[in-house]
Amino acid sequence: MSLEIHNVTKYFGEQCVLSDFSYSFPDRGLYYLTGDSGRGKTTLLRIIAGLDRDFTGSVTGNASCSLLFQDKRLFGNLTALENVAIVNEKRGCDRAAVKEAAAELLLSMNFTEEDLSKRPQALSGGMQQRTAIARAVFYPADVLLLDEPFKELDKQNRDILSAVIIRESEKRLVIGVSHEADDPARNGSVLIPL
Amino acid sequence: MKTLFYRFRKPLLLTAGALILFLLWHIAAAAFDIPLILPKPLPVLKALGQLLGTAVFWKSVGLSVLRISLGAAAGLIVGFLAGILSAASDTVRTLLSPLFSVIRATPVACFIILAWVFIGSAQLPVFIAALMVAPVMMTGTLTGLKSTDGALLEAAYLYRLTFFQRVRTCYLPALLPHATAALVNCIGLAWKAGIAAEIIVKTKDSIGYAIWDAKSWNVDSTLLFAWTLTVIFISLLFEYLFRLLLKLRKESGNVA
């Protein structure tokens, strides 16, 4: 399912953060929005995700979206495993199977069995970030939007996550935002300057 | 020794505070020296000990606890539902606002006298306890729900969480601290208002009636103080049990 962005313009008060932006995304692949702070990268992700409707222009394609929020937004009263599993626990689903799949994903992202039952407050910043990424990846959407996915991650975890992101981009459309030029997943991705 | 003191610091300080109160009471009673008006603590404790051995005491305490608990439970439910509706709709909040403001502003004694015209003396403490508790619970629920993290709600919306999942992840964690604080307040409030109603309308087989009887009929201040101590002990016991229950639930991980 392709995603079409037509002449999107967004103002915050008097300030224009996106001006007449258009782009046509295919149904899979890895794309990175680049540019200095304040150029509207996060805003564009929010518009694509349907969280910001106060703009002119249009976003078409009816694609469902998953988004890694820059501020993580983990549910404080759930464990790391529950935070990931909950996005797939819909009515009538096999909860045990969903939990098992969520656990498998987290374990592949450098978590230990013990970490799975920890609440976000008991996790380091890097582990919280990996939990948030795992949750975004685990949600079965057509488009995966990642706002600064490599923030707070060390080299080893960057490489692990890079592999996860590249794998996801082979199955669906992944659009990322990163300020860091050494972001390993940017290699081989399409860069879109804003 | 120092470690031992710090370990039991809180209960030790609480006991010391209570003992200071009893000491001040004793000094005041000794200075005043009119036991009919202000008896000393020891005779009061002795009278309380004697009361504990009577069937009338347990019947009065049991029925008072039952009435006030029923009223408090009803008030909590009404307040909770009103809080939810008020949080969900500005119209409902505005509509309910004058009613709850009137309840908050009116002295409890006025309500007791007014309601006595319509409600029998046995049911009145139930009604008054409910009436006093409902606005507190309503405010606690409303404040809690209004403090729900909008960013978490946005995440819940994005991931299409079900209604119950949103309640569990977004609303409950915001609601619980406020609702718990309101509940603790409500326990004391219901108890005080309920006993006041029992005293004013002289509800049969109640602590309030025993207090009224000790003051007005027998003119026995020792007995009056013994019953008052009973009220205080039961109120503190309920509050302690509630806090203990919350602590146990938190330790078992059931509370957000």
Side-chain angles (χ1 to χ4, degrees), chain A residues 1-5 23-26 48 59-61 63 143 173 175:
Chain A
M1 187 174 289
S2 63
L3 179 74
E4 303 282 341
I5 299 174
Y23 204 90
S24 180
F25 292 96
I48 294 171
V59 177
T60 55
V143 183
L173 175 62
I175 305 172

Side-chain angles (χ1 to χ4, degrees), chain A residues 150 152-162 182 184:
Chain A
F150 293 94
E152 297 181 55
L153 297 184
D154 57 25
K155 171 85 174 65
Q156 186 197 3
N157 285 311
R158 278 169 175 250
D159 291 341
I160 291 170
L161 277 169
S162 178
D182 64 341

Side-chain angles (χ1 to χ4, degrees), chain A residues 18 51 73 103:
Chain A
L18 275 173
L51 298 177
R73 301 192 189 183

Side-chain angles (χ1 to χ4, degrees), chain B residues 18 21-22 25 44-45 48 57 61 65 68 187-188 191-192 195 207 211 224-241:
Chain B
L21 272 181
F22 271 94
W25 175 9
V44 171
L45 289 174
L48 181 60
F57 174 84
V61 168
V65 167
I68 294 167
I187 292 170
W191 192 242
K192 279 186 272 189
I195 296 290
I207 295 176
I211 289 174
L224 173 67
F225 273 72
W227 277 109
T228 309
L229 274 186
T230 307
V231 174
I232 295 168
F233 285 146
I234 294 172
S235 181
L236 291 177
L237 180 71
F238 271 113
E239 202 179 310
Y240 172 75
L241 287 176

Side-chain angles (χ1 to χ4, degrees), chain A residues 46 51 53 66-67 73-75 77-78 82 86-87 89-90 119 135-136 139, chain B residues 151-152 154-162 165 168-170 173 253 255-256:
Chain A
R46 289 178 57 81
L51 298 177
R53 296 179 196 278
S66 180
L67 168 64
R73 301 192 189 183
L74 295 173
F75 301 118
N77 60 334
L78 303 188
E82 288 167 341
I86 196 167
V87 298
E89 283 177 345
K90 302 301 172 201
R119 292 190 180 182
R135 182 175 69 177
Y139 185 59
Chain B
L152 284 185
E154 195 177 60
Y157 165 78
L158 180 91
Y159 293 121
R160 303 287 182 265
L161 297 194
T162 63
Q165 285 174 329
R168 183 182 170 209
T169 55
C170 304
V255 169

